[in-house]
Amino acid sequence: MASPIVHPVFETVTGTWQYIIADPSTLAAVIIDPVLDFEPARNAISTTTADSLLDIVAQNSYKVAYLLETHAHADHLSASRYLQLKLEQPTNPETGIGKRIVQVQQTFAQKYGVEQSEFEDVFDLLWEDNQTFAIGNLEAKVVHLPGHTPDHVGYLIGENIFCGDSLFLPDVGSARCDFPGGDAVQLYHSVQTLFSLPPHHKIYTGHDYPSGDRNDPVPYTTVAEQQERNKHLKIGTSQEEFVNWRQKRDAGLGEPRLLHQSLQVNIRGGRLPRNGMLALPLKGVKEVGNVKL
Ligand SMILES: *[C@@H]1O[C@H](CO)[C@@H](O)[C@H](O)[C@H]1NC(C)=O
Ligand SMILES: [Fe+2]
């Protein structure tokens, strides 16, 4: 199997790595975790970032077969639906996400009052664990990597795994595990799955937050580098040590800035609410005495 061509594209506002991966022999391609821009001050959607992905696709004459999500993101909106509508080539690409998205959709639909008809069947493909599919002459494999969210998957393509929010760069560490259905024990095991790959395989991450003496975002490190240097979880870190630390850390983290907007759009597969409205749970003063304000 030839090596895939990988275009990592960084979205700076949410620190998200998006990927276009192509088969050099057929130009068949997939896009992983594309971002739809959202400006909270105006509640405005825009497509500058997604359009930059379309430019790369057009410049390279790629034929996009699939728009892939690693999970229901809680920090940015998905551009999968927008890209699906824009990419008529002549068939529109299919969207795919791990099958446990159904559980995540139920949880958040209930919380935000989203009608079943707005999130049912919004993804074309719900991947089974270890399911394989073709990208031209390349083979991709779906690897269940729960912990950050229950539906979370990685995509193994050649000697590369796109691990979403499982591991970040070694100096950033690991993803939070406190969203509904998240679980630090599961994340520990998912990282062991990543560590069982050959040492030279590349782990491409879903986000980067460079700081300190590192200024530029970096899309991947090798399995060996992660095993040696990941600051939260390397070879020799015990499950107990990691889980205790992760739970304590998560208890002190605030909400992602676009949490509610992201989840309400992402459980709809990147579609917007039909009535054009997003729900925002209120905090702060909500009662006077025992009487609701
Ligand atoms: C997927 O593959 C892993 C690792 O080979 C294995 O442990 C697991 O049982 C497989 N799951 C399914 C549903 O085949
Ligand atoms: Fe995430």
Side-chain angles (χ1 to χ4, degrees):
M1 187 169 93
S3 294
I5 302 166
V6 179
H7 300 262
V9 183
F10 194 65
E11 192 282 305
T12 52
V13 176
T14 62
T16 301
W17 275 115
Q18 314 159 100
Y19 296 100
I20 301 172
I21 300 130
D23 169 26
S25 62
T26 61
L27 303 182
V30 298
I31 301 177
I32 299 182
D33 289 343
V35 173
L36 190 64
D37 303 313
F38 185 84
E39 191 194 321
R42 293 193 307 125
N43 287 333
I45 308 281
S46 56
T47 61
T48 310
T49 300
D51 291 337
S52 75
L53 300 176
L54 290 174
D55 289 344
I56 295 171
V57 168
Q59 280 156 16
N60 293 280
S61 306
Y62 292 149
K63 293 175 290 261
V64 179
Y66 300 108
L67 299 161
L68 304 174
E69 300 288 348
T70 54
H71 63 295
H73 309 280
D75 67 301
H76 66 268
L77 285 63
S78 167
S80 281
R81 178 61 176 162
Y82 171 73
L83 292 174
Q84 182 175 45
L85 295 171
K86 292 290 282 189
L87 287 164
E88 302 174 78
Q89 19 162 53
T91 46
N92 302 84
E94 291 181 294
T95 57
I97 194 165
K99 63 177 178 181
R100 295 174 190 81
I101 185 64
V102 174
Q103 173 190 332
V104 175
Q105 286 171 312
Q106 296 286 356
T107 303
F108 291 110
Q110 199 161 19
K111 170 166 175 172
Y112 294 112
V114 180
E115 297 278 344
Q116 178 102 6
S117 62
E118 290 206 35
F119 65 86
E120 202 173 42
D121 300 329
V122 290
F123 295 98
D124 298 314
L125 298 159
L126 298 183
W127 304 118
E128 294 290 328
D129 298 346
N130 303 336
Q131 188 170 347
T132 59
F133 58 93
I135 308 167
N137 294 324
L138 302 173
E139 184 177 85
K141 180 179 169 184
V142 178
V143 182
H144 186 212
L145 297 174
H148 173 59
T149 64
D151 60 316
H152 200 297
V153 297
Y155 296 96
L156 179 64
I157 306 172
E159 299 186 340
N160 314 280
I161 188 159
F162 298 85
C163 85
D165 301 0
S166 306
L167 279 183
F168 299 132
L169 267 277
D171 62 338
V172 180
S174 61
R176 65 195 296 176
C177 296
D178 58 335
F179 296 143
D183 184 341
V185 174
Q186 287 189 347
L187 185 64
Y188 183 86
H189 290 292
S190 293
V191 172
Q192 305 312 308
T193 301
L194 294 172
F195 284 178
S196 70
L197 293 168
H200 65 282
H201 272 36
K202 292 173 182 167
I203 301 179
Y204 283 84
T205 185
H207 288 288
D208 196 21
Y209 310 104
S211 67
D213 50 9
R214 193 161 69 79
N215 293 316
D216 295 322
V218 173
Y220 74 86
T221 44
T222 62
V223 171
E225 287 173 286
Q226 288 284 11
Q227 289 175 334
E228 280 163 33
R229 298 198 285 116
N230 189 284
K231 79 171 186 184
H232 297 167
L233 182 43
K234 53 192 174 195
I235 289 287
T237 307
S238 73
Q239 178 177 311
E240 191 187 6
E241 192 183 341
F242 172 72
V243 169
N244 287 343
W245 176 86
R246 185 73 260 177
Q247 289 174 344
K248 200 175 291 174
R249 167 72 168 259
D250 288 347
L253 293 177
E255 272 181 5
R257 202 172 53 100
L258 298 179
L259 175 73
H260 307 295
Q261 298 90 334
S262 301
L263 286 169
Q264 289 172 73
V265 169
N266 294 342
I267 63 167
R268 290 169 162 101
R271 290 163 170 77
L272 304 182
R274 295 222 184 101
N275 67 0
M277 310 283 257
L278 288 169
L280 288 180
L282 296 173
K283 301 192 184 63
V285 179
K286 295 200 279 185
E287 12 186 278
V288 178
N290 290 328
V291 182
K292 291 207 165 111
L293 193 61

